[in-house]
Amino acid sequence: MEIRHLGIAVGVAGTLACGALSGCKGSDKNSAATAAADSTYCNPLRDTDGNYVTFGDPFILKASDGRFYMYGTTDYTFLDHRCYSSDDLVNWTYEGVCYTPSDSTWTTDTFWAPEVYEHDGKFYMFHSSNWKENPDGDEEVFRIGVAVADKPTGPFKEMYDHPIFDSKYPIIDANLLFDEDGKIYFYYSRCCYKHPVDSELAEKLKKEGKADEVQESWIYGVEIKPDFSGIIGEPKLLLQPPLTLADPQSKWEDNSANAGEGEAIRRWNEGSYIFKHGDKYYMMYSCNYWRGQYYAVGYATSDNPLGPFVKAPENPILERNNDKGGDVYCTGHNMVVTLDDGTMYCVYHGRTAETDSITGDAKRVAFIDKMEITPDGRLVVNGPTTTPQPRPAL
């Protein structure tokens, strides 16, 4: 059984280029030849027309043809999925829409966070959408399904006329781990919608008259069937926001709730990405309001793919810098790209005041920054950056 994937996110139109075209201040956006020859790239990424790459929830597949394929949430409409290809992780060619729903599928609208895996000669896309099955008329009925294609560029078609399983509550942000023992593990995020949780923060905000309740998003994991038709066993709760104010994670995971960011008072653990390094499982995850100032990334580790996971004391490991003289905020929903020589990159979406003014509110743009696991097991992301960085050495 051969499984291929990597992780990254970016774009929306044209071809991505780095160096002179990739957002460095003072760059000449028309110098395509200079960019192609340049040894650096800059965040946020731009396409060859000089437009910012507006893509959220990144994912990259390294396919058996030797090329990289990138997928992500289409921020313009949320009504389809799109694909880019690259030979070098720097210059990206827009391949068009690779997934469009049909009337016969289980889906309706709001297509988020696609991840694509190559498996036994086929390509499988896991993604979330609202479900047609909605007898109570809920605002959110997200479930996760899987679509298949013969090529990484699609077209992807739903494998089943139903989600992978009925979670009984809205879920998003699918992620898979193909473990060394041959088992496949499936991770997802429970939405905040209709999920109020008692905590010390909730009690504090109630007493202050700032909230009647605080809703939360939690991360779960479970084994999945080899044909992706369902799950094996019951999902396990792996990560959730802190219950007490004394928990060190409260200092960053509670930022949006304390600031009143978002449509409701909520706390998030979402957008998980899991990988194994040595004998440890690392789960990266995002917290705070996905459109807001405080969206950031932390990580947790475990000896087993289904936990228990322990959050790192140094969290967050990727966060805004616009409060420290930088330009970037809303850094989150990341992926990890590991090159053949072991070099690791964290790819994520973020926002800046400039990109907001050009792309419009909530249009996320793509970033890629180097990361590492230190000898003592700590995960470090060297970002966010907006200055020239060395191009990945493939």
Side-chain angles (χ1 to χ4, degrees), residues 137-393:
D138 287 334
E139 294 179 12
E140 297 183 14
V141 282
F142 294 112
R143 298 294 188 272
I144 292 171
V146 56
V148 65
D150 294 325
K151 300 185 299 181
T153 53
F156 287 87
K157 303 296 183 183
E158 294 291 336
M159 291 183 65
Y160 308 108
D161 61 358
H162 54 79
I164 294 172
F165 78 111
D166 184 4
S167 52
K168 307 301 182 184
Y169 47 78
I171 62 174
I172 57 175
D173 297 345
N175 180 229
L176 294 188
L177 172 70
F178 294 85
D179 208 10
E180 296 166 349
D181 62 2
K183 293 182 178 180
I184 308 172
Y185 294 94
F186 170 63
Y187 303 87
Y188 64 87
S189 306
R190 175 175 186 163
C191 295
C192 293
Y193 180 69
K194 289 188 174 182
H195 190 221
V197 178
D198 292 330
S199 66
E200 288 186 4
L201 176 68
E203 289 302 314
K204 173 180 175 289
L205 295 180
K206 288 177 186 178
K207 290 178 181 178
E208 294 173 352
K210 296 180 179 178
D212 295 327
E213 63 181 20
V214 177
Q215 301 172 335
E216 292 188 0
S217 173
W218 294 356
I219 294 172
Y220 288 81
V222 67
E223 188 179 350
I224 192 172
K225 294 179 180 179
D227 63 358
F228 310 133
S229 63
I231 59 175
I232 300 171
E234 292 297 319
K236 290 187 176 182
L237 174 60
L238 302 180
L239 293 181
Q240 67 183 101
L243 294 174
T244 69
L245 295 174
D247 187 326
Q249 306 296 332
S250 179
K251 294 179 180 180
W252 73 285
E253 292 195 16
D254 296 349
N255 281 338
S256 284
N258 281 318
E261 279 190 333
E263 300 86 355
I265 303 300
R266 291 175 165 176
R267 294 199 296 173
W268 288 265
N269 279 188
E270 65 169 21
S272 63
Y273 180 78
I274 190 168
F275 64 95
K276 191 174 185 182
H277 183 84
D279 59 355
K280 288 285 186 183
Y281 294 88
Y282 286 75
M283 177 175 285
M284 302 179 77
Y285 67 102
S286 296
C287 293
N288 294 301
Y289 180 48
W290 68 278
R291 292 185 178 185
Q293 288 284 335
Y294 301 105
Y295 202 51
V297 175
Y299 77 97
T301 58
S302 176
D303 294 327
N304 299 288
L306 293 179
F309 281 86
V310 177
K311 293 181 178 180
E314 62 268 22
N315 285 341
I317 44 88
L318 178 65
E319 62 179 331
R320 69 176 183 149
N321 63 15
N322 64 345
D323 60 337
K324 304 177 185 69
D327 304 314
V328 187
Y329 73 102
C330 196
T331 54
H333 201 131
N334 74 289
M335 298 287 300
V336 177
V337 174
T338 302
L339 305 183
D340 291 342
D341 66 358
T343 304
M344 304 175 77
Y345 286 88
C346 179
V347 186
Y348 57 96
H349 61 247
R351 297 171 65 183
T352 72
E354 181 184 8
T355 59
D356 283 351
S357 68
I358 294 173
T359 64
D361 181 53
K363 298 297 189 296
R364 298 162 290 181
V365 290
F367 291 73
I368 176 171
D369 280 308
K370 203 168 185 179
M371 62 173 278
E372 63 177 319
I373 307 294
T374 65
D376 61 355
R378 293 181 300 112
L379 192 159
V380 177
V381 178
N382 299 310
T385 68
T386 52
T387 56
Q389 303 295 312
R391 290 161 60 115

